[in-house]
Amino acid sequence: MNLIHDFDNFFLPADNLEEAKEFYTKKLGLETKFDFSDKGMTAFKVGENEPAIILSSMPNARPAIWFTVDDAQKAYEALQQKGVHFLSEPFEIATGFAVEFHDPFGNKLGITDYSKVKE
């Protein structure tokens, strides 16, 4: 059984969100998915895909890839059993729960569920 179903979002650091918006919309032609610049984050759609590129100006922002799972807590426990070391306990986000970890090479990955989003 595969715990991971799909890509969720791709996170990239950006120290200037206005400049990022200019580049991603005007030069790359991407549509804004959401703009929470006041909270240090803006996102861009890529085609008709649900996953987005999310740029963050938060301190210590690092590139990360998140994946979707049915239940972040259960996936967290299953992956811990396999020796994955997480950066925290699963935490609540607007759409459900998420948790991050590093692969053996220091790349940041995360898993998230959409348990708060009703189909």
Side-chain angles (χ1 to χ4, degrees):
M1 179 178 113
N2 196 357
L3 295 172
I4 295 173
H5 299 300
D6 207 344
F7 289 105
D8 181 51
N9 290 306
F10 304 87
F11 295 88
L12 297 173
D15 57 7
N16 183 323
L17 290 182
E18 290 307 314
E19 185 178 343
K21 288 188 266 188
E22 177 82 14
F23 178 83
Y24 282 84
T25 58
K26 299 239 177 0
K27 293 190 178 176
L28 297 184
L30 298 179
E31 183 182 331
T32 301
K33 184 169 184 171
F34 63 77
D35 186 359
F36 300 139
S37 295
D38 58 326
K39 294 184 171 88
M41 154 182 323
T42 189
F44 303 93
K45 290 177 61 167
V46 180
E48 296 303 314
N49 297 299
E50 184 59 33
I53 297 171
I54 300 177
L55 294 159
S56 172
S57 63
M58 307 256 221
N60 303 316
R62 289 189 51 204
I65 300 171
W66 280 19
F67 304 100
T68 59
V69 296
D70 289 332
D71 182 315
Q73 182 66 41
K74 287 182 181 172
Y76 166 81
E77 292 166 6
L79 291 171
Q80 267 191 323
Q81 295 274 328
K82 293 180 178 187
V84 173
H85 300 285
F86 288 87
L87 302 177
S88 69
E89 299 280 324
F91 53 88
E92 195 169 350
I93 59 173
T95 53
F97 290 86
V99 64
E100 293 178 313
F101 56 97
H102 288 126
D103 72 8
F105 315 101
N107 299 306
K108 189 188 273 188
L109 304 172
I111 55 174
T112 187
D113 64 35
Y114 282 80
S115 57
K116 290 183 183 177
V117 178
K118 300 294 181 220
E119 296 286 325

